[in-house]
């Protein structure tokens, strides 16, 4: 049975080398931000810049590797029923909601959820990098570089599966940003296999 992450919340757990992690969108059109840190040294974390550089693309899918800031493989994408994820934007945060949405009493967002679930592992907010934003659909204008957040392409039951290439501390959220999730907040399921 999958574990369930309630809407606008997050969790963290250890994923051992050789295990796989399946992240499922149970109801459709819901983003899940993913972070991973080396369990041996949490200064080593997933790196958007390294991963996109080595892939030569900004949209990653089956066969692509998520590298660390030390250029070591952390996760490999082994299955993907959606094929569109984002690896350019930081986790949504209270500041995101103030700056983009104009909220006066903003939610703490994925950033706040990450800080809460990663504190027991000794990882502070300043250590949180660009997340791998599962199912997030960011359209890019190839000429101007303009970006637009569109509804996720994921339907109920769609999933992505990662193989761990080292022992990891993984954090996952059910994203809290209205625009990223087509206007409503839904749960995310995951399975460690
Ligand atoms: Zn978010």
């Amino acid at each position: 049975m999958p574990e369930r992450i309630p809407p606008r919340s997050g969790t963290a757990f250890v994923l051992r080398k050789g295990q796989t992690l399946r992240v499922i969108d149970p109801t459709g059109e819901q983003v899940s931000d993913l972070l991973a840190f080396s369990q041996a040294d949490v200064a080593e974390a997933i790196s958007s810049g390294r991963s996109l550089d080595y892939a030569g693309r900004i949209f990653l899918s089956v066969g692509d590797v998520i590298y660390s800031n030390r250029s070591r493989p952390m996760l490999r994408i082994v299955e993907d029923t959606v094929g569109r994820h984002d690896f350019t934007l930081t986790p949504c945060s209270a500041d995101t909601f103030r700056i983009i949405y104009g909220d006066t009493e903003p939610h703490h967002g994925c950033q706040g959820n990450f800080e809460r679930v990663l504190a027991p592992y000794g990882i502070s907010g300043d250590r949180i990098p660009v997340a791998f934003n599962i199912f997030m659909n960011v359209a890019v204008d190839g000429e101007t570089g303009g970006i637009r957040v569109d509804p996720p392409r994921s339907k109920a039951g769609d999933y992505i599966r990662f193989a761990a290439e080292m022992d990891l501390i993984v954090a996952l959220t059910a994203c809290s940003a209205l625009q990223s999730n087509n206007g409503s907040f839904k749960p995310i399921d995951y399975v460690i296999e």
Side-chain angles (χ1 to χ4, degrees):
M1 279 295 288
E3 302 283 334
R4 174 151 290 189
I5 303 171
R8 302 192 107 180
S9 69
T11 190
F13 48 85
V14 170
L15 188 70
R16 301 264 171 229
K17 181 177 181 179
Q19 288 185 318
T20 68
L21 170 68
R22 186 188 300 263
V23 181
I24 305 149
D25 183 347
T27 59
E29 297 190 326
Q30 175 62 42
V31 169
S32 173
D33 287 18
L34 175 146
L35 294 178
F37 300 83
S38 166
Q39 193 186 23
D41 179 358
V42 296
E44 184 169 17
I46 60 167
S47 169
S48 165
R50 296 280 173 209
S51 304
L52 301 184
D53 195 357
Y54 303 151
R57 275 177 284 106
I58 65 168
F59 299 131
L60 303 187
S61 187
V62 174
D64 289 322
V65 173
I66 298 180
Y67 285 90
S68 75
N69 52 317
R70 297 176 186 166
S71 294
R72 298 199 302 159
M74 298 191 103
L75 292 158
R76 186 178 305 273
I77 302 172
V78 293
E79 279 188 89
D80 181 6
T81 66
V82 177
R84 182 55 59 91
H85 317 280
D86 172 69
F87 203 10
T88 63
L89 302 180
T90 47
C92 64
S93 67
D95 295 316
T96 309
F97 299 137
R98 257 194 298 271
I99 292 167
I100 295 180
Y101 296 83
D103 292 355
T104 49
E105 290 185 32
H107 189 267
H108 55 259
C110 289
Q111 176 79 26
N113 286 322
F114 280 140
E115 290 179 11
R116 185 175 54 78
V117 301
L118 289 169
Y121 296 96
I123 299 165
S124 69
D126 288 336
R127 286 232 141 125
I128 292 175
V130 171
F132 187 76
N133 302 308
I134 299 166
F135 310 133
M136 189 177 186
N137 186 9
V138 177
V140 181
D141 183 313
E143 198 53 44
T144 66
I147 56 173
R148 191 183 68 239
V149 179
D150 284 343
R153 295 181 180 180
S154 50
K155 298 181 181 63
D158 274 330
Y159 64 89
I160 184 170
R161 195 159 66 90
F162 304 89
E165 301 283 327
M166 64 172 75
D167 290 344
L168 298 169
I169 297 158
V170 170
L172 269 183
T173 67
C175 177
S176 302
L178 271 176
Q179 195 180 4
S180 302
N181 302 294
N182 203 16
S184 67
F185 305 120
K186 301 166 289 291
I188 283 289
D189 289 352
Y190 68 97
V191 183
I192 297 170
E193 295 163 317

